[in-house]
Amino acid sequence: MEEMKNKAWNVQGKYVLITGATSGIGLAAAKELVVRGANLGIVARSLAKANETVEQLQALTNGTTKVDVFLADLTDQRSIRLVASEILARCPRIDVLINNAGAMFVKRILTMDGMEKTWAVNHLAPFLLTKLLLDRIKMSGKARIITTSSHGHKMAKKGIDFDDLTAMKRYSFPQVLMGGANFRYGETKLANILFTTELARLLEGTGVVANCLDPGLVSTNFNQDNGILARMTMAVMKRFSRTPEKGAETLVWLADSNEINGESGRYYVDMKEAIPSAQAGSREAARKLWEVSERQTRNSGI
């Protein structure tokens, strides 16, 4: 990230809340952000991993950086609501919200809310967390909301199947043999872009901007818990992957750079605006996704 160090450090003194910061590009981004003077809040599932991350982050700044830990299971909407309440109680401002956590499950698993698990983690979790924190983010002034999408959104060539939101088709025979889980992952990454599009529209005039990014093919621990075939596939892909630090560059740039002031509802690759798939450009699909997501999260109260 040497080339970016000469740019303005907008995050200095700002409060940045990030999910998925205990490994991969999330951890790489968190490290760069604390070096740039940001105060962090990390949302993690494991207390042990969160504490390890805090130690690494504080070591970079000789213990001068504020790092808060919030624990949540992003597959569980009740847990998301609880952690949002804790964040609001502890954080008087949120200058940057980074929705970075993501996963892919090769088997069809339903959460306790009745949602397919990849969809729950990759789309509904950032949707719900953002909505619950939105008033506080607006109060913080010129704030930023950043969501990690993926080039994989282009696998969803027919868009999101709103008639099969629990992905029974994707995981049924013979689709499962043809990579149904990968296409489901693509649908969730498409949802990240459509979510950003509609969020940006709803935030017009508030001073808050919402953007998303493709970090590229990154060598991380992603997809390591889905069996030996998934691990073998990822091992091969790692040979062609970029480092987590390289993958985090655009994420950090979106949080820190003056260049995107006022720019909202955009999709970025390698610190440049890019054009996503035709399906990702559908305003109608973006509005429908928002309505559907509200229904899917409406009955998950504490």
Side-chain angles (χ1 to χ4, degrees), residues 96-161:
V96 183
L97 170 62
I98 300 175
N99 294 308
N100 174 69
M104 184 180 79
F105 301 93
V106 296
K107 294 182 180 179
R108 182 175 178 268
I109 304 170
L110 296 184
T111 69
M112 62 180 62
D113 300 299
M115 307 300 164
E116 188 275 317
K117 205 168 183 179
T118 303
W119 181 260
V121 174
N122 294 358
H123 169 59
L124 290 179
F127 174 85
L128 181 57
L129 184 63
T130 300
K131 280 203 67 180
L132 293 170
L133 301 179
L134 201 52
D135 285 343
R136 181 63 46 84
I137 294 169
K138 289 178 182 178
M139 289 170 56
S140 302
K142 291 186 177 181
R144 300 179 177 187
I145 300 170
I146 304 162
T147 302
T148 301
S149 181
S150 165
H151 181 80
H153 81 274
K154 294 183 178 180
M155 290 189 292
K157 296 184 182 299
K158 295 182 179 180
I160 296 170
D161 187 349

Side-chain angles (χ1 to χ4, degrees), residues 5 20 27 89 94 96-97 99 114 123 125 132 143 145 147 171-172 180 190 223 235 237 252-253 267 276 295-296 302:
K5 294 185 184 275
L27 177 57
I94 302 170
V96 183
L97 170 62
N99 294 308
H123 169 59
L132 293 170
I145 300 170
T147 302
Y171 288 96
S172 65
L190 172 59
N223 203 22
M237 291 175 68
V252 172
W253 178 76
Y267 171 76
R295 290 199 298 270
Q296 288 189 312
I302 297 171

Side-chain angles (χ1 to χ4, degrees), residues 21-244:
T22 59
S23 64
I25 67 170
L27 177 57
K31 288 179 176 179
E32 183 66 20
L33 289 167
V34 296
V35 168
R36 294 181 180 221
N39 295 308
L40 290 191
I42 61 174
V43 180
R45 182 169 184 171
S46 164
L47 179 59
K49 286 186 177 181
N51 287 337
E52 288 176 10
T53 300
V54 171
E55 289 180 8
Q56 293 181 60
L57 296 175
Q58 291 187 333
L60 291 171
T61 60
N62 296 318
T64 61
T65 299
K66 175 184 178 182
V67 183
D68 297 321
V69 171
F70 302 98
L71 297 179
D73 178 354
L74 296 182
T75 69
D76 181 354
Q77 293 181 21
R78 182 175 182 274
S79 180
I80 295 169
R81 291 182 182 277
L82 285 169
V83 81
S85 295
E86 183 185 358
I87 291 167
L88 292 173
R90 292 171 57 186
C91 303
R93 63 184 299 119
I94 302 170
D95 298 289
V96 183
L97 170 62
I98 300 175
N99 294 308
N100 174 69
M104 184 180 79
F105 301 93
V106 296
K107 294 182 180 179
R108 182 175 178 268
I109 304 170
L110 296 184
T111 69
M112 62 180 62
D113 300 299
M115 307 300 164
E116 188 275 317
K117 205 168 183 179
T118 303
W119 181 260
V121 174
N122 294 358
H123 169 59
L124 290 179
F127 174 85
L128 181 57
L129 184 63
T130 300
K131 280 203 67 180
L132 293 170
L133 301 179
L134 201 52
D135 285 343
R136 181 63 46 84
I137 294 169
K138 289 178 182 178
M139 289 170 56
S140 302
K142 291 186 177 181
R144 300 179 177 187
I145 300 170
I146 304 162
T147 302
T148 301
S149 181
S150 165
H151 181 80
H153 81 274
K154 294 183 178 180
M155 290 189 292
K157 296 184 182 299
K158 295 182 179 180
I160 296 170
D161 187 349
F162 289 105
D163 294 323
D164 187 30
L165 290 172
T166 59
M168 289 187 68
K169 295 176 185 175
R170 288 296 190 195
Y171 288 96
S172 65
F173 183 85
Q175 279 204 35
V176 68
L177 298 179
M178 297 185 292
N182 292 309
F183 291 110
R184 178 54 163 177
Y185 175 78
E187 281 186 315
T188 66
K189 295 291 99 179
L190 172 59
N192 292 154
I193 301 175
L194 294 172
F195 159 69
T196 298
T197 298
E198 184 64 5
L199 178 61
R201 186 185 72 82
L202 294 171
L203 288 171
E204 287 178 2
T206 66
V208 180
V209 298
N211 292 295
C212 59
L213 71 137
D214 168 17
L217 182 59
V218 181
S219 178
T220 68
N221 292 324
F222 182 78
N223 203 22
Q224 294 298 304
D225 299 323
N226 286 319
I228 187 170
L229 183 59
R231 289 194 296 272
M232 290 174 63
T233 300
M234 295 308 295
V236 172
M237 291 175 68
K238 280 187 177 183
R239 299 178 62 183
F240 308 97
S241 302
R242 54 179 57 180
T243 64

